[in-house]
């Protein structure tokens, strides 16, 4: 082989080999997000806040894990496992750095339907007792956890299949009003399920439609069976929890560590119940025996998968929708991005793998995620640290929880759902922004409390799509062009200063959840190109995008570092909203976010030809009542204001120079 041929072959080999290696490295970073943030982890700055947050989180994970296991109709110890393994899996594959994954009220309620249907309490007496059962639990308990793990396994498989089919990009269908209403309705159902423990009543498990109303009907019909001791202890626990948590929230900036009131209450109630013997003296229900250790992994029973398909789809869709909403909110709050499909994979694996370790279905949890915000956590290291303390409870502390009163545990759960329940305040926002979204919220909430979270989510999505289609005058309007961009320059003649660049973007399309993400991505792309360009452009340039045709794409916008315009060029943006026929809350939210992003990049933004309803919605949604006007009746008025501001700035500079 000649030297030339050998050299040519080596060049070709390097061209083939190097992209492949780079591609593998990029693929690993994309599918294992822990490699991205762990390599840049700063222990000096982040380890202390992550440790404090991890300790506080462990308390919530343990207490809520025990309660949600009972809510899922399985033994409480399986809730501890469900708080451990999913958190580890999500820390490896998940992109939400402040998202807490574990036992969840939404998925526990759905799983309980399958458990109660396939292994009802009446079958307990028919189940043979075995001395070789795992953890010393009865065969009845093992059959129940087998059903729950089957739901978790199949639900996770569905989520992984959604990832493989790239269906995570369809998350735009889960609009903010639908998710808010669905989670609020599910929280209402969870509170209702805890009523029997709060009142100390014996109540059979009630399933089916209108379950909430049947439970309250049973309570009022058997009101004489309420145990006063349990009621008083529940009220006292709720008052203490709410008061201390509010004080922690108000004074968290003045104190270095907040009081773990959940842990204090659990210890105090357990000791009081033990010394007073409340179980026998007052007939209070207690948590019972918690076995030590983690059993060897075992595959879920595959013979029941066909019987739990409905619940598995509910776990997959409801869990993913609620979890993705929390991840996106976390990303907006802390300025990073999440991939919808990667989140689908992360939660799918968080259900599939832990199902082999006797874990109930799981998802991201709002209360614990908000708690992670408030305690100053920086990364997923906080969740991993919490897992260490959960392991301590599993192997050492668990048996000491025998005397924990169920009414106290129920009180902790009810107070922990505060973040979901206060979403009722969103009704005022939707009424002022878009009354159709208000109607979607109310109807989705009603369907959720009547028929369950999975039915409520399905109704909300279908109802939202139907409303948007109904608001378009004709189906053809789905294909009109989204944005037209125009640019011109305003010259100033003071000290030979360079021209001022003004970009005008005409929005000729309704702005709704279908095209909101694409609109924001296109707008930010224009701004970034403008700021990266140092050469003057042509007098007129056009950029036409069909956002609705591309709305099924992922639509994630990776925010780059804010770039400021060069001092010799002033960037201004005018959004002509004369063609904005209608909008919803997602559209208003995107406009407000785009305004804030542009402001952070030192780009002046003005909106022209806005309707009164759009001005009102944006001011209410984004608190835009600033001294500087941003809403104008016409494009020419906005241009005149920009020019006048520039002239005032130049005159002030001249006056300063003359004084010097």
């Amino acid at each position: 082989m000649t030297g030339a041929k050998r050299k040519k072959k080596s060049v070709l080999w390097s061209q083939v080999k190097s992209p492949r290696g780079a591609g593998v490295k990029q693929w690993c970073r994309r599918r294992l997000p822990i490699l991205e943030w762990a390599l840049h982890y700063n222990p000096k700055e982040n380890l202390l806040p992550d440790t404090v947050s991890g300790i506080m989180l462990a308390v919530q994970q343990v207490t809520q894990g025990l309660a949600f296991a009972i809510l899922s109709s399985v033994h409480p110890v399986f809730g501890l496992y469900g708080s451990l393994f999913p958190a580890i899996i999500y820390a490896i594959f998940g992109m939400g750095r402040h998202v807490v994954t574990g036992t969840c009220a939404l998925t526990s309620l759905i799983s309980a339907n399958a458990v109660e249907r396939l292994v009802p309490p009446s079958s307990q007496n028919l189940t043979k007792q075995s001395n070789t059962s795992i953890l010393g639990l009865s065969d009845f308990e093992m059959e129940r956890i087998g059903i729950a793990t089957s739901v978790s396994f199949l639900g996770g498989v569905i989520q992984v299949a959604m990832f493989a089919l790239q269906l995570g990009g369809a998350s735009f269908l889960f609009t903010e009003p639908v998710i808010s209403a669905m989670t609020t309705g599910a929280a209402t159902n969870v509170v209702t399920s805890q009523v029997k423990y709060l009142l100390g009543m014996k109540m059979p498990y009630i399933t089916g439609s209108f379950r909430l109303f049947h439970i309250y009907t049973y309570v009022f019909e058997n009101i004489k069976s309420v145990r006063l001791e349990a009621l008083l202890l529940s009220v006292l626990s709720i008052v203490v929890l709410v008061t201390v948590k509010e004080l922690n929230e108000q004074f968290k900036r003045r104190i270095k560590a907040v009081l773990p009131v959940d842990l204090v209450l659990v210890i105090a109630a357990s000791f009081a119940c033990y010394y007073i013997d409340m179980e026998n003296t007052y007939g209070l229900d207690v948590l019972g025996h918690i076995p030590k250790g983690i059993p060897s992994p075992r595959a879920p029973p595959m013979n029941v998968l066909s019987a739990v398909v409905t619940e598995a789809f509910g776990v997959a869709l409801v869990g993913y929708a609620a979890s993705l909403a929390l991840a996106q909110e976390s990303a907006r709050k802390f300025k990073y991005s999440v991939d919808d499909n990667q989140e689908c994979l992360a939660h799918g694996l968080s259900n599939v793998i832990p199902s082999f370790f006797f874990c109930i279905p799981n998802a991201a949890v709002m209360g614990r995620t908000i708690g992670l915000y408030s305690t100053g956590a920086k990364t997923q290291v906080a969740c991993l640290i919490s897992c260490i303390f959960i392991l301590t409870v599993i192997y050492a502390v668990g048996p000491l929880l025998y005397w924990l009163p169920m009414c106290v545990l129920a009180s902790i759960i009810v107070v922990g759902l505060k973040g979901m329940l206060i979403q009722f305040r969103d009704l005022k926002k939707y009424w002022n922004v878009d009354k159709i979204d208000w109607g979607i919220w109310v109807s989705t909430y009603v369907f959720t409390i009547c028929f369950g979270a999975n039915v409520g989510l399905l109704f909300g999505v279908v109802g939202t799509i139907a409303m948007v289609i109904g608001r378009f005058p004709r189906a053809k309007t789905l294909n009109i062009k989204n944005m037209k961009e125009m640019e011109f320059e305003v010259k100033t003649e003071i000290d030979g200063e360079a021209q001022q660049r003004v970009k005008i973007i005409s929005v000729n399309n309704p702005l709704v959840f279908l095209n909101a993400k694409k609109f924001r991505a296109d707008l930010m792309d224009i701004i970034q190109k403008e700021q990266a360009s140092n050469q003057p452009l042509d007098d007129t340039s056009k950029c036409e995008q069909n956002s609705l045709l591309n709305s099924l794409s992922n639509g994630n916008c990776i925010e780059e570092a804010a770039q400021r315009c060069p001092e010799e060029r002033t960037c201004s943006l005018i959004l002509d909203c004369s063609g904005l026929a209608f909008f919803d809350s997602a559209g208003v939210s995107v406009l407000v976010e785009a305004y804030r992003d542009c402001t952070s990049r030192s780009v002046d933004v003005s909106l022209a030809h806005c309707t009164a309803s759009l001005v009102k919605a944006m001011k209410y949604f984004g608190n835009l009542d600033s001294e500087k006007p941003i809403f104008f009746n016409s494009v020419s008025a906005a241009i005149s204001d920009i020019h006048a501001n520039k002239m005032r700035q130049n005159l002030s500079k001249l006056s300063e120079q003359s004084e010097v």
Side-chain angles (χ1 to χ4, degrees):
M1 183 181 293
T2 63
K5 290 183 178 180
R6 197 180 301 114
K7 183 177 179 181
K8 183 177 181 181
K9 182 177 180 181
S10 63
V11 171
L12 291 174
W13 173 251
S14 62
Q15 290 178 350
V16 172
K17 185 178 179 181
S18 59
R20 183 177 299 175
V24 171
K25 184 178 179 180
Q26 185 180 6
W27 183 90
C28 290
R29 287 197 171 189
R30 189 169 67 250
R31 298 305 170 211
L32 298 172
I34 190 174
L35 299 177
E36 190 69 28
W37 59 263
L39 295 177
H40 303 90
Y41 188 77
N42 189 342
K44 293 183 179 180
E45 295 182 2
N46 300 334
L47 186 58
L48 180 59
D50 281 343
T51 302
V52 174
S53 299
I55 296 173
M56 301 295 296
L57 175 62
V59 177
Q60 292 182 312
Q61 289 274 60
V62 169
T63 54
Q64 295 188 16
L66 295 170
F68 290 152
I70 297 173
L71 185 63
S72 192
S73 298
V74 298
H75 194 277
V77 71
F78 299 118
L80 297 178
Y81 307 153
S83 300
L84 174 65
F85 293 104
I88 297 174
I89 301 299
Y90 184 82
I92 298 173
F93 294 96
M95 299 188 71
R97 301 173 193 171
H98 302 80
V99 175
V100 180
T101 301
T103 54
C104 176
L106 304 175
T107 55
S108 294
L109 279 175
I110 297 173
S111 174
N113 293 332
V115 173
E116 293 290 340
R117 186 181 77 252
L118 299 177
V119 190
S122 58
S123 64
Q124 183 172 6
N125 297 329
L126 302 177
T127 304
K128 296 181 180 180
Q129 300 297 321
S130 174
N131 295 328
T132 61
S133 183
I134 299 175
L135 296 174
L137 300 177
S138 66
D139 290 343
F140 172 76
E141 293 289 354
M142 297 311 300
E143 287 183 15
R144 287 200 149 197
I145 188 59
I147 300 299
T149 56
S150 297
V151 174
S152 178
F153 174 81
L154 187 55
V157 169
I158 294 172
Q159 289 174 328
V160 173
M162 291 170 59
F163 160 77
L165 296 174
Q166 298 292 297
L167 295 180
S171 60
F172 64 89
L173 296 173
F174 303 134
T175 61
E176 182 183 339
V178 172
I179 299 300
S180 174
M182 184 267 292
T183 52
T184 307
T188 305
N189 286 334
V190 174
V191 171
T192 302
S193 68
Q194 299 300 304
V195 167
K196 63 179 181 181
Y197 299 118
L198 295 173
L199 302 179
M201 296 179 62
K202 302 293 184 182
M203 182 187 302
Y205 188 85
I206 300 175
T207 59
S209 303
F210 304 100
R211 176 172 176 264
L212 179 140
F213 303 101
H214 292 310
I215 289 177
Y216 285 114
T217 300
Y218 183 91
V219 169
F220 286 114
E221 290 177 350
N222 299 272
I223 196 68
K224 293 182 180 180
S225 62
V226 173
R227 292 190 178 274
L228 185 60
E229 297 83 4
L231 177 60
L232 293 176
L233 189 56
S234 300
V235 172
L236 178 62
S237 300
I238 292 175
V239 170
V240 170
L241 288 169
V242 172
T243 303
V244 176
K245 286 180 181 290
E246 288 296 326
L247 292 175
N248 284 338
E249 187 66 24
Q250 291 184 6
F251 297 102
K252 65 180 180 181
R253 295 182 179 178
R254 301 181 184 179
I255 56 179
K256 295 183 178 180
V258 297
L259 177 65
V261 61
D262 302 69
L263 178 62
V264 173
L265 182 62
V266 167
I267 295 174
S270 299
F271 273 103
C273 184
Y274 173 76
Y275 283 108
I276 302 177
D277 194 13
M278 293 184 182
E279 183 181 17
N280 297 320
T281 305
Y282 302 109
L284 293 184
D285 291 334
V286 296
L287 186 61
H289 174 63
I290 303 295
K292 288 184 181 180
I294 300 176
S296 301
R298 189 176 70 177
M302 301 297 174
N303 58 331
V304 298
L305 292 182
S306 59
V308 298
V309 171
T310 303
E311 288 79 10
F313 269 100
V315 165
L317 297 179
V318 173
Y320 172 66
S323 302
L324 182 62
L326 287 175
Q328 291 175 339
E329 178 63 26
S330 170
R332 283 193 296 266
K333 187 177 182 66
F334 296 98
K335 305 300 180 183
Y336 59 87
S337 62
V338 294
D339 182 358
D340 299 349
N341 281 301
Q342 179 63 27
E343 286 296 293
C344 202
L345 173 65
H347 288 289
L349 295 178
S350 297
N351 274 298
V352 171
I353 298 176
S355 67
F356 290 82
F357 294 89
F358 303 94
C359 294
I360 61 179
N362 64 85
V365 189
M366 178 181 291
R368 279 166 265 175
T369 300
I370 294 175
L372 213 60
Y373 296 165
S374 62
T375 52
K378 302 297 183 181
T379 64
Q380 279 288 334
V381 171
C383 294
L384 296 177
I385 291 175
S386 72
C387 292
I388 299 175
F389 289 91
I390 295 172
L391 277 173
T392 305
V393 173
I394 291 175
Y395 280 97
V397 184
L400 300 179
L401 298 174
Y402 178 96
W403 300 98
L404 177 62
M406 290 299 300
C407 58
V408 174
L409 190 59
S411 302
I412 294 174
I413 297 307
V414 171
V415 175
L417 293 172
K418 175 188 172 184
M420 291 185 180
L421 294 174
I422 62 175
Q423 290 180 131
F424 278 110
R425 296 184 300 187
D426 292 346
L427 284 172
K428 183 179 179 181
K429 177 181 69 175
Y430 295 128
W431 182 263
N432 286 278
V433 173
D434 185 21
K435 292 180 175 57
I436 290 182
D437 279 346
W438 182 89
I440 291 291
W441 197 102
V442 173
S443 56
T444 302
Y445 175 80
V446 171
F447 267 76
T448 301
I449 64 173
C450 291
F451 305 106
N454 48 352
V455 177
L457 178 65
L458 179 61
F459 172 82
V461 170
V462 173
T464 303
I465 295 174
M467 286 296 177
V468 169
I469 294 176
R471 293 171 79 177
F472 277 95
R474 296 183 302 272
K476 292 182 179 180
T477 57
L478 289 172
N479 295 324
I480 65 176
K481 292 174 181 174
N482 174 263
M483 294 194 310
K484 289 191 298 182
E485 178 193 352
M486 183 172 60
E487 175 189 346
F488 67 91
E489 296 169 345
V490 179
K491 293 185 178 180
T492 57
E493 298 178 355
I494 299 177
D495 290 342
E497 188 170 330
Q499 68 272 13
Q500 176 184 7
R501 175 168 293 185
V502 179
K503 300 185 80 65
I504 303 173
I505 296 179
S506 178
V507 185
N508 295 326
N509 207 47
L511 192 56
V512 294
F513 71 96
L514 289 172
N515 60 348
K517 282 187 178 181
K518 191 66 169 59
F519 172 86
R520 183 174 182 272
D522 291 342
L523 186 61
M524 289 299 102
D525 183 60
I526 292 173
I527 299 300
Q528 290 172 3
K529 288 180 180 178
E530 164 68 17
Q531 292 179 329
S533 174
N534 292 322
Q535 299 295 330
L537 301 180
D538 297 334
D539 292 338
T540 304
S541 61
K542 295 183 179 181
C543 172
E544 296 182 349
Q545 297 282 349
N546 190 336
S547 65
L548 287 180
L549 292 181
N550 297 327
S551 61
L552 289 178
S553 63
N554 190 16
N556 288 324
C557 178
I558 301 176
E559 298 183 1
E560 299 180 356
Q563 303 175 1
R564 296 187 174 272
C565 296
E567 292 181 358
E568 66 273 9
R569 300 179 69 88
T570 303
C571 302
S572 297
L573 174 68
I574 299 176
L575 286 178
D576 181 7
C577 300
S578 57
L580 186 57
F582 62 86
F583 54 88
D584 62 2
S585 59
V588 175
S589 176
V590 162
L591 282 176
V592 172
E593 289 178 9
Y595 170 79
R596 290 173 176 168
D597 287 343
C598 292
T599 303
S600 66
R601 297 169 184 266
S602 297
V603 177
D604 295 330
V605 180
S606 303
L607 288 90
H609 294 118
C610 297
T611 61
S613 59
L614 179 60
V615 174
K616 177 184 176 182
M618 289 191 65
K619 287 183 176 180
Y620 185 86
F621 202 97
N623 297 322
L624 300 181
D625 290 324
S626 58
E627 296 180 358
K628 181 181 178 181
I630 62 172
F631 300 102
F632 298 91
N633 294 328
S634 63
V635 174
S636 59
I639 295 174
S640 299
D641 182 77
I642 293 172
H643 186 64
N645 288 335
K646 187 64 179 177
M647 295 298 295
R648 282 193 294 269
Q649 293 176 5
N650 292 331
L651 290 175
S652 64
K653 289 180 181 178
L654 284 177
S655 63
E656 290 176 359
Q657 293 176 1
S658 62
E659 290 177 0
V660 173

